[in-house]
Amino acid sequence: MTMFTFDSLSKAERIRHLGEVAAHAVRYWDVSPNARLTLLNISENATYRVDDPGAAEPLILRVHRTGYHTRNAVRTELAWMKALKEEAGVETPQAIPARDGELVRSVATPALGEERFVVMFAFIEGREPDADELTEPFKRLGAIAARMHRHARGWRRPPYFERLVWDFERAVGRNGNWGDWHAGLALDAERISVLERMSAVIQRRLARFGQGPDRFGLIHADLRVANLLVTDDDTRVIDFDDAGLGWFLYDLATAVSFMEERPDLDDLLRAWVLGYRTEAPLSPEEEAEIPTFLMLRRLAIVAWIGSHSETALAQELGEPFTEGSVRLAHRYIERFET
């Protein structure tokens, strides 16, 4: 019988546990016993750099959170990333098969009553875009998003296809993928009332906008700056962990996550749209609905913060994010509520 859970561990104990899972996991791949594992970050998943003395380049090991994806969902993610690179020219990290040929392995921890999927990726070069110089990267990103969406529309999905859905209910509904936004930080009755009014407007507009195959399909669902790697002539896309079925314009909204109050927001949106239209059409009607997707994403993050209040990012965003969301909600309601 399990006596404790991962959530009951202290922060230091969690880091130690994930390190032990990672150290066990690398044994499934052709990696030297002398390889050094370095924790790069812990957000939803834990990511490690694997430096093998006998290898020319490092590898990247991802240790998944529990309870978010099934094995088939992870396999689907990796299949799409492979297809994007081979068929659409979108540079993405590629999974490396373990010695048994499997791309997804797992490590069980009976004492915690859990099993974690692990995936090894090849290393790709690049740096995070400069937050002060985003116009040109956003133009590139718009073009890349269009290529991804065009590919998704025609991709022959594998028989094991399974991913999250980011429609209205599962993005910001009471049982959303990231929980109920009503449980967000620093929400009182007045703030909840404002966000509920905005949510109702969003729901009506999205119902009218529709989910036709030209507007709704397989998306990355987290194309923010932290998930981009830029070089002198290319932008690479990483971290497809949230990829699923949603509105294509939701990818634009995710690109400006946490930036909705930047003074140059309109410039970034214009750059993205300009880049997108170099690869795929975007109608005036779709462009006019961008504010709705920005606020759909904003409300989803309010839910995420509430359900991940123990994480460093949630604590960093904290109450100011809620306050900003209410300010933005007032503007959205004034513009779109009828």
Side-chain angles (χ1 to χ4, degrees), residues 231-247:
T231 63
D232 290 339
D233 59 358
D234 196 13
T235 299
R236 287 88 184 269
V237 182
I238 63 173
D239 195 356
F240 283 66
D241 191 45
D242 289 327
L245 299 173
W247 286 279

Side-chain angles (χ1 to χ4, degrees), residues 241-305:
D241 191 45
D242 289 327
L245 299 173
W247 286 279
F248 293 121
L249 277 177
Y250 190 70
D251 269 344
L252 170 53
T254 68
V256 294
S257 297
F258 318 121
M259 301 184 198
E260 297 92 343
E261 293 190 284
R262 277 178 60 135
D264 63 345
L265 174 66
D266 288 342
D267 294 334
L268 299 181
L269 296 177
R270 278 192 293 269
W272 193 96
V273 169
L274 181 63
Y276 195 94
R277 284 177 170 152
T278 64
E279 296 283 347
L282 188 71
S283 70
E285 180 189 2
E286 289 170 296
E287 185 175 1
E289 209 59 65
I290 287 173
T292 294
F293 289 99
L294 298 188
M295 297 316 299
L296 177 71
R297 171 67 170 184
R298 185 86 185 193
L299 198 56
I301 294 179
V302 171
W304 184 89
I305 291 173

Side-chain angles (χ1 to χ4, degrees), residues 49-81:
R49 174 175 168 140
V50 182
D51 288 284
D52 188 337
E57 291 186 332
L59 301 172
I60 300 297
L61 181 74
R62 183 175 67 186
V63 178
H64 280 254
R65 80 196 91 169
T66 59
Y68 194 56
H69 289 309
T70 65
R71 185 183 295 272
N72 278 342
V74 179
R75 292 174 65 205
T76 300
E77 172 195 0
L78 302 180
W80 192 38
M81 292 169 68

Side-chain angles (χ1 to χ4, degrees), residues 114-234:
E114 68 170 36
E115 180 179 20
R116 290 181 182 268
F117 299 126
V118 290
V119 179
M120 188 77 79
F121 292 97
F123 181 82
I124 61 173
E125 295 285 349
R127 63 188 183 280
E128 187 174 312
D130 182 347
D132 296 325
E133 299 289 341
L134 287 176
T135 303
E136 187 58 33
F138 262 65
K139 185 177 177 181
R140 287 193 206 170
L141 179 58
I144 291 170
R147 296 211 309 269
M148 292 170 63
H149 297 163
R150 188 174 62 215
H151 179 270
R153 291 184 186 102
W155 185 43
R156 184 175 180 179
R157 298 174 184 175
Y160 50 81
F161 182 92
E162 183 181 333
R163 290 305 295 178
L164 296 171
V165 177
W166 295 102
D167 58 12
F168 177 83
E169 286 300 328
R170 281 166 283 195
V172 296
R174 289 281 188 173
N175 297 306
N177 295 328
W178 290 343
D180 182 359
W181 65 260
H182 292 80
L185 297 184
L187 281 175
D188 57 21
E190 182 179 354
R191 290 174 172 175
I192 288 175
S193 177
V194 173
L195 295 181
E196 284 181 337
R197 284 178 63 192
M198 180 183 72
S199 177
V201 177
I202 291 172
Q203 186 173 21
R204 287 197 300 271
R205 294 187 70 87
L206 289 179
R208 185 164 62 244
F209 188 77
Q211 295 183 14
D214 58 329
R215 297 181 173 183
F216 192 97
L218 187 57
I219 60 174
H220 182 281
D222 197 17
L223 277 179
R224 54 197 175 95
V225 171
N227 290 330
L228 305 177
L229 295 175
V230 299
T231 63
D232 290 339
D233 59 358
D234 196 13

Side-chain angles (χ1 to χ4, degrees), residues 27-46:
R27 302 172 190 170
Y28 294 128
W29 282 266
D30 288 321
V31 175
S32 166
N34 298 321
R36 183 176 73 255
L37 273 66
T38 304
L39 178 63
L40 297 178
N41 64 69
I42 298 178
S43 53
E44 299 287 8
N45 306 315

